[in-house]
Coordinates of all heavy atoms in Angstrom, one line a residue:
M1 N 5.5 -13.3 -5.4 CA 5.1 -14.3 -4.3 C 4.7 -13.5 -3.1 O 3.6 -13.8 -2.5 CB 6.2 -15.3 -4.0 CG 5.8 -16.2 -2.9 SD 7.2 -17.2 -2.5 CE 6.5 -18.8 -2.7
F2 N 5.5 -12.6 -2.6 CA 5.1 -11.9 -1.4 C 4.8 -10.4 -1.8 O 5.4 -9.9 -2.7 CB 6.3 -11.8 -0.4 CG 6.6 -13.2 0.2 CD1 7.7 -13.9 -0.2 CD2 5.8 -13.7 1.2 CE1 8.0 -15.1 0.3 CE2 6.1 -15.0 1.7 CZ 7.2 -15.6 1.3
A3 N 3.8 -9.9 -1.1 CA 3.4 -8.5 -1.3 C 3.6 -7.7 0.0 O 4.0 -8.3 1.0 CB 2.0 -8.5 -1.8
A4 N 3.2 -6.5 -0.1 CA 3.3 -5.7 1.1 C 2.5 -6.2 2.3 O 1.4 -6.8 2.1 CB 2.8 -4.2 0.8
C5 N 3.0 -6.0 3.5 CA 2.3 -6.4 4.7 C 1.9 -5.2 5.5 O 2.6 -4.2 5.5 CB 3.2 -7.3 5.5 SG 3.7 -8.8 4.7
S6 N 0.9 -5.2 6.3 CA 0.5 -4.2 7.2 C 0.8 -4.6 8.6 O 0.4 -5.7 9.0 CB -0.9 -3.7 7.0 OG -1.8 -4.8 7.3
S7 N 1.4 -3.8 9.4 CA 1.8 -4.1 10.8 C 1.1 -3.1 11.8 O 0.9 -2.0 11.4 CB 3.3 -4.0 10.9 OG 3.7 -4.2 12.3
T8 N 0.9 -3.6 13.0 CA 0.4 -2.8 14.0 C 1.5 -2.0 14.6 O 1.2 -1.0 15.3 CB -0.3 -3.6 15.1 OG1 0.7 -4.5 15.7 CG2 -1.5 -4.4 14.6
G9 N 2.7 -2.4 14.4 CA 3.8 -1.8 15.2 C 3.9 -2.4 16.5 O 3.0 -3.3 16.9
V10 N 4.8 -2.0 17.4 CA 4.9 -2.5 18.7 C 3.8 -1.9 19.6 O 3.7 -0.6 19.7 CB 6.3 -2.3 19.3 CG1 6.4 -2.8 20.8 CG2 7.3 -3.0 18.5
I11 N 3.0 -2.7 20.2 CA 1.9 -2.2 21.1 C 2.2 -2.7 22.5 O 2.3 -3.9 22.8 CB 0.5 -2.8 20.7 CG1 0.2 -2.3 19.2 CG2 -0.6 -2.4 21.6 CD1 -1.0 -3.0 18.7
P12 N 2.3 -1.7 23.5 CA 2.5 -2.1 24.9 C 1.3 -2.8 25.4 O 0.2 -2.4 25.2 CB 2.7 -0.8 25.6 CG 3.1 0.2 24.5 CD 2.4 -0.3 23.3
M13 N 1.5 -3.9 26.1 CA 0.4 -4.7 26.7 C 0.4 -4.4 28.2 O 0.5 -3.3 28.6 CB 0.5 -6.1 26.4 CG 0.4 -6.4 24.9 SD -1.1 -6.0 24.1 CE -2.1 -7.4 24.5
D14 N 0.5 -5.5 29.0 CA 0.5 -5.3 30.5 C 1.8 -6.0 31.0 O 2.4 -6.8 30.4 CB -0.7 -5.9 31.1 CG -0.9 -7.3 30.8 OD1 -0.2 -7.9 29.9 OD2 -1.8 -7.9 31.4
S15 N 2.2 -5.6 32.2 CA 3.3 -6.2 32.9 C 4.6 -6.2 32.1 O 5.3 -7.2 32.1 CB 3.0 -7.6 33.4 OG 1.9 -7.5 34.3
G16 N 4.9 -5.1 31.3 CA 6.1 -5.1 30.6 C 6.2 -6.0 29.3 O 7.2 -6.4 28.9
T17 N 5.0 -6.3 28.8 CA 4.9 -7.2 27.6 C 4.4 -6.3 26.4 O 3.8 -5.3 26.6 CB 4.0 -8.4 27.8 OG1 2.7 -8.0 28.0 CG2 4.5 -9.2 29.0
Y18 N 4.7 -6.8 25.2 CA 4.3 -6.1 24.0 C 3.7 -7.1 23.0 O 3.9 -8.3 23.1 CB 5.6 -5.5 23.4 CG 6.3 -4.6 24.4 CD1 7.3 -5.1 25.2 CD2 6.0 -3.3 24.5 CE1 8.0 -4.3 26.1 CE2 6.6 -2.4 25.4 CZ 7.7 -3.0 26.2 OH 8.3 -2.2 27.1
M19 N 3.1 -6.5 22.0 CA 2.5 -7.3 20.9 C 2.7 -6.7 19.6 O 2.7 -5.4 19.5 CB 1.0 -7.5 21.1 CG 0.3 -8.4 20.1 SD -1.5 -8.4 20.2 CE -1.8 -6.8 19.4
I20 N 3.0 -7.5 18.6 CA 3.0 -7.0 17.2 C 2.2 -8.0 16.4 O 2.3 -9.2 16.5 CB 4.5 -7.0 16.6 CG1 5.4 -6.2 17.5 CG2 4.4 -6.5 15.2 CD1 6.9 -6.3 17.0
S21 N 1.3 -7.4 15.6 CA 0.5 -8.2 14.6 C 0.7 -7.8 13.2 O 0.9 -6.6 13.0 CB -1.0 -8.2 15.0 OG -1.3 -8.8 16.2
K22 N 0.7 -8.7 12.3 CA 0.9 -8.3 10.9 C 0.1 -9.2 10.0 O 0.0 -10.4 10.2 CB 2.4 -8.5 10.6 CG 2.8 -8.0 9.2 CD 4.2 -7.9 9.0 CE 4.6 -6.5 9.2 NZ 5.9 -6.2 8.8
R23 N -0.6 -8.6 9.0 CA -1.3 -9.3 8.0 C -0.4 -9.4 6.7 O 0.3 -8.4 6.4 CB -2.6 -8.6 7.6 CG -3.6 -8.6 8.8 CD -4.8 -7.8 8.4 NE -5.7 -8.8 7.8 CZ -6.9 -8.4 7.4 NH1 -7.3 -7.2 7.5 NH2 -7.7 -9.3 6.8
S24 N -0.5 -10.5 6.1 CA 0.3 -10.7 4.9 C -0.6 -10.6 3.6 O -1.7 -11.2 3.6 CB 1.0 -12.1 4.9 OG 1.7 -12.3 3.7
A25 N -0.1 -9.9 2.6 CA -0.8 -9.9 1.4 C -0.3 -11.0 0.4 O -0.5 -10.9 -0.8 CB -0.6 -8.5 0.7
Q26 N 0.3 -12.0 1.0 CA 0.8 -13.1 0.2 C -0.3 -13.7 -0.6 O -1.4 -14.0 -0.1 CB 1.4 -14.1 1.1 CG 1.8 -15.4 0.5 CD 2.4 -16.4 1.5 OE1 3.0 -16.0 2.5 NE2 2.1 -17.7 1.3
A27 N 0.0 -14.0 -1.9 CA -1.0 -14.6 -2.8 C -0.9 -16.1 -2.6 O 0.2 -16.7 -2.4 CB -0.7 -14.2 -4.2
G28 N -2.0 -16.8 -2.7 CA -2.0 -18.2 -2.6 C -2.2 -18.8 -1.2 O -2.4 -18.0 -0.3
F29 N -2.1 -20.1 -1.1 CA -2.3 -20.7 0.2 C -1.0 -21.0 0.9 O 0.1 -21.1 0.3 CB -3.0 -22.1 0.0 CG -4.4 -22.0 -0.6 CD1 -4.5 -21.9 -2.0 CD2 -5.5 -21.9 0.2 CE1 -5.8 -21.7 -2.5 CE2 -6.7 -21.8 -0.3 CZ -6.9 -21.7 -1.7
G30 N -1.0 -21.0 2.2 CA 0.2 -21.4 3.0 C 0.5 -20.4 4.1 O -0.2 -19.4 4.3
P31 N 1.6 -20.7 4.8 CA 1.9 -19.8 6.0 C 2.6 -18.5 5.5 O 3.3 -18.5 4.5 CB 2.9 -20.7 6.7 CG 3.5 -21.5 5.7 CD 2.4 -21.8 4.7
P32 N 2.3 -17.4 6.2 CA 2.9 -16.1 5.9 C 4.3 -16.0 6.4 O 4.6 -15.3 7.4 CB 1.9 -15.1 6.5 CG 1.4 -15.9 7.7 CD 1.3 -17.3 7.3
V33 N 5.2 -16.7 5.8 CA 6.6 -16.8 6.3 C 7.3 -15.4 6.4 O 8.0 -15.1 7.3 CB 7.4 -17.8 5.5 CG1 8.9 -17.9 6.0 CG2 6.8 -19.2 5.5
G34 N 7.1 -14.6 5.4 CA 7.7 -13.3 5.4 C 7.2 -12.4 6.5 O 8.0 -11.7 7.1
A35 N 5.9 -12.5 6.8 CA 5.3 -11.7 7.9 C 5.9 -12.2 9.3 O 6.2 -11.4 10.2 CB 3.8 -11.8 7.9
R36 N 6.2 -13.5 9.4 CA 6.8 -14.0 10.6 C 8.1 -13.4 10.8 O 8.5 -13.0 11.9 CB 6.9 -15.6 10.5 CG 7.5 -16.1 11.8 CD 7.6 -17.6 11.7 NE 8.2 -18.2 12.9 CZ 8.2 -19.4 13.3 NH1 7.6 -20.3 12.5 NH2 8.7 -19.8 14.4
A37 N 8.9 -13.4 9.8 CA 10.3 -12.8 9.9 C 10.2 -11.4 10.2 O 11.0 -10.9 11.0 CB 11.0 -13.1 8.6
D38 N 9.2 -10.7 9.6 CA 9.1 -9.2 9.9 C 8.8 -8.9 11.3 O 9.3 -8.0 11.9 CB 8.0 -8.6 9.0 CG 8.4 -8.6 7.5 OD1 9.7 -8.7 7.2 OD2 7.6 -8.4 6.7
V39 N 7.8 -9.6 11.9 CA 7.5 -9.3 13.3 C 8.6 -9.6 14.3 O 8.8 -8.9 15.3 CB 6.2 -10.0 13.8 CG1 5.0 -9.5 13.0 CG2 6.2 -11.5 13.8
Y40 N 9.4 -10.7 14.0 CA 10.5 -11.0 14.9 C 11.6 -10.0 14.7 O 12.3 -9.5 15.7 CB 11.0 -12.4 14.7 CG 10.4 -13.4 15.5 CD1 9.3 -14.2 15.1 CD2 10.7 -13.5 16.9 CE1 8.7 -15.1 15.9 CE2 10.1 -14.5 17.7 CZ 9.1 -15.2 17.2 OH 8.4 -16.1 18.0
R41 N 11.8 -9.5 13.5 CA 12.8 -8.5 13.2 C 12.4 -7.2 14.0 O 13.2 -6.5 14.6 CB 12.9 -8.2 11.7 CG 14.0 -7.2 11.4 CD 14.2 -7.1 9.8 NE 14.4 -8.3 9.2 CZ 13.5 -8.9 8.3 NH1 12.4 -8.3 8.1 NH2 13.8 -10.0 7.8
E42 N 11.1 -6.8 13.9 CA 10.7 -5.6 14.5 C 10.8 -5.7 16.1 O 11.2 -4.8 16.7 CB 9.2 -5.4 14.1 CG 8.7 -4.0 14.4 CD 7.3 -3.7 13.8 OE1 6.9 -4.5 12.9 OE2 6.7 -2.8 14.3
A43 N 10.5 -6.9 16.6 CA 10.6 -7.1 18.1 C 12.0 -7.0 18.5 O 12.4 -6.4 19.5 CB 10.0 -8.4 18.5
N44 N 12.9 -7.7 17.7 CA 14.4 -7.6 18.1 C 14.9 -6.2 18.0 O 15.7 -5.8 18.9 CB 15.1 -8.5 17.1 CG 15.1 -10.0 17.6 OD1 15.4 -10.3 18.7 ND2 14.7 -10.9 16.7
D45 N 14.5 -5.4 17.0 CA 15.0 -4.0 16.9 C 14.5 -3.2 18.1 O 15.2 -2.4 18.7 CB 14.5 -3.4 15.6 CG 15.1 -4.0 14.4 OD1 16.2 -4.7 14.5 OD2 14.6 -3.7 13.3
Y46 N 13.2 -3.5 18.5 CA 12.6 -2.7 19.7 C 13.4 -3.1 20.9 O 13.8 -2.1 21.7 CB 11.2 -3.1 19.8 CG 10.5 -2.3 20.9 CD1 10.0 -1.1 20.7 CD2 10.3 -2.9 22.2 CE1 9.3 -0.4 21.6 CE2 9.7 -2.2 23.2 CZ 9.2 -0.9 22.9 OH 8.5 -0.2 23.9
C47 N 13.7 -4.3 21.2 CA 14.4 -4.7 22.4 C 15.8 -4.3 22.4 O 16.4 -3.9 23.4 CB 14.3 -6.2 22.6 SG 12.7 -6.8 23.1
A48 N 16.5 -4.3 21.2 CA 17.9 -3.9 21.1 C 18.1 -2.4 21.5 O 19.1 -2.0 22.0 CB 18.3 -4.1 19.7
K49 N 17.0 -1.6 21.3 CA 17.2 -0.2 21.7 C 17.4 0.0 23.2 O 17.9 0.9 23.7 CB 15.9 0.6 21.3 CG 15.8 0.8 19.8 CD 14.5 1.5 19.4 CE 14.3 1.6 17.9 NZ 13.0 2.2 17.6
E50 N 16.9 -1.0 24.0 CA 17.0 -1.0 25.4 C 18.2 -1.9 25.8 O 18.3 -2.3 27.0 CB 15.7 -1.6 26.1 CG 14.5 -0.7 25.8 CD 13.3 -1.3 26.4 OE1 13.3 -2.2 27.2 OE2 12.2 -0.8 26.0
K51 N 19.0 -2.4 24.8 CA 20.1 -3.3 25.0 C 19.6 -4.6 25.7 O 20.3 -5.1 26.6 CB 21.2 -2.6 25.9 CG 21.7 -1.4 25.2 CD 23.2 -1.2 25.4 CE 23.7 0.1 24.8 NZ 23.3 0.5 23.5
K52 N 18.5 -5.1 25.3 CA 17.9 -6.3 25.8 C 17.6 -7.3 24.6 O 17.7 -6.9 23.5 CB 16.6 -6.0 26.6 CG 16.8 -5.2 27.8 CD 15.5 -4.9 28.6 CE 15.8 -4.1 29.8 NZ 14.5 -3.9 30.6
E53 N 17.2 -8.5 25.0 CA 16.8 -9.5 24.0 C 15.4 -9.8 24.1 O 14.7 -9.7 25.2 CB 17.7 -10.8 24.2 CG 19.1 -10.6 24.0 CD 19.9 -11.8 24.3 OE1 19.3 -12.8 24.7 OE2 21.1 -11.8 24.0
I54 N 14.8 -10.3 23.0 CA 13.4 -10.7 23.0 C 13.2 -12.0 23.7 O 14.0 -12.9 23.6 CB 12.9 -10.8 21.5 CG1 11.4 -11.1 21.5 CG2 13.7 -11.7 20.7 CD1 10.8 -11.2 20.1
E55 N 12.1 -12.1 24.4 CA 11.6 -13.4 24.9 C 10.2 -13.6 24.4 O 9.3 -12.8 24.8 CB 11.6 -13.4 26.5 CG 11.1 -14.6 27.1 CD 11.1 -14.6 28.6 OE1 11.4 -13.6 29.2 OE2 10.7 -15.7 29.2
T56 N 10.0 -14.6 23.7 CA 8.6 -14.9 23.1 C 7.7 -15.4 24.2 O 8.1 -16.4 24.9 CB 8.7 -15.9 21.9 OG1 9.6 -15.4 20.9 CG2 7.4 -16.2 21.4
I57 N 6.6 -14.8 24.3 CA 5.5 -15.3 25.3 C 4.6 -16.2 24.5 O 4.2 -17.3 25.0 CB 4.8 -14.2 26.0 CG1 5.9 -13.4 26.8 CG2 3.7 -14.6 26.8 CD1 5.3 -12.1 27.3
N58 N 4.1 -15.7 23.3 CA 3.2 -16.5 22.5 C 3.3 -16.0 21.1 O 3.6 -14.9 20.8 CB 1.7 -16.2 23.0 CG 0.8 -17.1 22.3 OD1 1.0 -18.3 22.1 ND2 -0.4 -16.6 21.9
F59 N 3.2 -17.0 20.2 CA 3.3 -16.7 18.7 C 2.1 -17.4 18.0 O 2.0 -18.7 18.3 CB 4.6 -17.1 18.1 CG 4.7 -16.9 16.6 CD1 5.0 -15.6 16.2 CD2 4.4 -17.8 15.7 CE1 5.0 -15.3 14.8 CE2 4.5 -17.6 14.4 CZ 4.8 -16.3 13.9
E60 N 1.3 -16.7 17.3 CA 0.2 -17.4 16.5 C 0.4 -17.0 15.0 O 0.7 -15.9 14.7 CB -1.1 -16.9 17.0 CG -1.4 -17.3 18.5 CD -2.7 -16.8 19.0 OE1 -3.5 -16.3 18.2 OE2 -2.9 -16.9 20.2
M61 N 0.1 -18.0 14.2 CA 0.2 -17.8 12.8 C -1.0 -18.4 12.1 O -1.4 -19.6 12.4 CB 1.5 -18.4 12.2 CG 1.7 -18.2 10.7 SD 3.3 -18.5 10.1 CE 3.8 -20.0 10.8
T62 N -1.7 -17.7 11.2 CA -2.8 -18.2 10.5 C -2.4 -18.2 9.0 O -2.0 -17.2 8.4 CB -4.1 -17.2 10.7 OG1 -4.3 -17.1 12.0 CG2 -5.3 -17.8 9.9
D63 N -2.6 -19.3 8.4 CA -2.2 -19.5 6.9 C -3.2 -18.7 6.1 O -4.4 -18.5 6.4 CB -2.3 -21.0 6.5 CG -1.2 -21.8 7.1 OD1 -0.3 -21.2 7.8 OD2 -1.3 -23.0 7.0
S64 N -2.7 -18.2 4.9 CA -3.5 -17.6 4.0 C -4.3 -18.6 3.2 O -4.0 -19.8 3.2 CB -2.7 -16.8 3.0 OG -1.8 -17.6 2.3
G65 N -5.5 -18.2 2.7 CA -6.3 -19.1 2.0 C -7.1 -18.4 0.9 O -6.8 -17.2 0.6
F66 N -8.1 -19.0 0.4 CA -8.9 -18.4 -0.7 C -9.5 -17.1 -0.2 O -10.3 -17.1 0.8 CB -10.0 -19.4 -1.1 CG -10.8 -18.8 -2.3 CD1 -10.2 -18.7 -3.5 CD2 -12.1 -18.4 -2.1 CE1 -11.0 -18.2 -4.6 CE2 -12.8 -17.9 -3.1 CZ -12.3 -17.8 -4.4
A67 N -9.1 -16.0 -0.7 CA -9.6 -14.6 -0.4 C -9.4 -14.3 1.1 O -10.2 -13.5 1.6 CB -11.1 -14.5 -0.8
R68 N -8.4 -14.8 1.7 CA -8.1 -14.6 3.1 C -6.6 -14.4 3.3 O -5.9 -15.4 3.0 CB -8.7 -15.7 4.0 CG -8.5 -15.5 5.5 CD -8.8 -16.7 6.2 NE -8.1 -17.8 5.5 CZ -7.8 -19.0 6.1 NH1 -8.3 -19.3 7.2 NH2 -7.1 -19.9 5.4
P69 N -6.2 -13.3 3.8 CA -4.7 -13.1 4.0 C -4.3 -13.9 5.2 O -5.0 -14.1 6.2 CB -4.6 -11.6 4.2 CG -5.9 -11.2 4.8 CD -6.9 -12.1 4.2
G70 N -3.0 -14.2 5.2 CA -2.4 -14.9 6.4 C -2.1 -13.8 7.4 O -2.0 -12.6 7.1
S71 N -1.9 -14.2 8.6 CA -1.5 -13.2 9.7 C -0.7 -13.9 10.7 O -0.7 -15.1 10.9 CB -2.8 -12.6 10.3 OG -3.5 -13.6 10.9
V72 N 0.1 -13.0 11.4 CA 0.9 -13.5 12.5 C 0.7 -12.5 13.7 O 0.4 -11.3 13.5 CB 2.4 -13.6 12.2 CG1 2.7 -14.6 11.2 CG2 3.0 -12.2 11.8
S73 N 0.8 -13.0 14.9 CA 0.7 -12.2 16.1 C 1.8 -12.7 17.1 O 1.9 -13.9 17.4 CB -0.6 -12.4 16.7 OG -0.7 -11.6 17.9
L74 N 2.6 -11.8 17.5 CA 3.7 -12.1 18.5 C 3.5 -11.3 19.8 O 3.4 -10.1 19.8 CB 5.1 -11.7 17.8 CG 6.3 -11.8 18.7 CD1 6.6 -13.2 19.1 CD2 7.5 -11.2 18.0
H75 N 3.5 -12.0 20.9 CA 3.4 -11.5 22.2 C 4.8 -11.7 22.8 O 5.2 -12.8 22.9 CB 2.3 -12.1 23.0 CG 2.0 -11.5 24.3 ND1 1.3 -12.2 25.3 CD2 2.2 -10.3 24.8 CE1 1.1 -11.4 26.3 NE2 1.7 -10.2 26.1
F76 N 5.5 -10.6 23.3 CA 6.8 -10.8 23.8 C 7.2 -9.8 24.9 O 6.4 -8.9 25.2 CB 7.8 -10.6 22.6 CG 7.9 -9.2 22.1 CD1 8.9 -8.4 22.5 CD2 6.9 -8.7 21.2 CE1 9.0 -7.0 22.0 CE2 7.0 -7.4 20.7 CZ 8.1 -6.6 21.1
R77 N 8.3 -10.0 25.5 CA 8.9 -9.1 26.4 C 10.4 -8.9 26.1 O 11.0 -9.8 25.5 CB 8.7 -9.5 27.9 CG 9.5 -10.7 28.3 CD 9.4 -11.0 29.8 NE 8.1 -11.0 30.4 CZ 7.4 -12.0 30.7 NH1 7.9 -13.2 30.5 NH2 6.2 -11.9 31.2
C78 N 10.9 -7.8 26.6 CA 12.4 -7.6 26.5 C 13.0 -8.0 27.8 O 12.6 -7.6 28.9 CB 12.7 -6.1 26.2 SG 11.9 -5.6 24.6
K79 N 14.1 -8.8 27.7 CA 14.7 -9.3 29.0 C 16.2 -9.0 28.9 O 16.8 -8.9 27.9 CB 14.4 -10.7 29.3 CG 15.0 -11.7 28.2 CD 14.8 -13.1 28.6 CE 15.5 -13.9 27.6 NZ 16.2 -15.0 28.2

């Protein structure tokens, strides 16, 4: 059901904010639930290194479709 995903890793943005984007190789139609969990896990791990917690600024998710992978994008800060 789920296949490998490619991630951008944590990308510094502006004013102490960060972004992670991930494409899902999930087959079939629907939301890339596994990719959503992965970006939040990656963001939590990043903030935990600074002994801080994640604060979501924006989250976008695009469902997979015919010949189109699903994707997620998380914009966050550590607080």
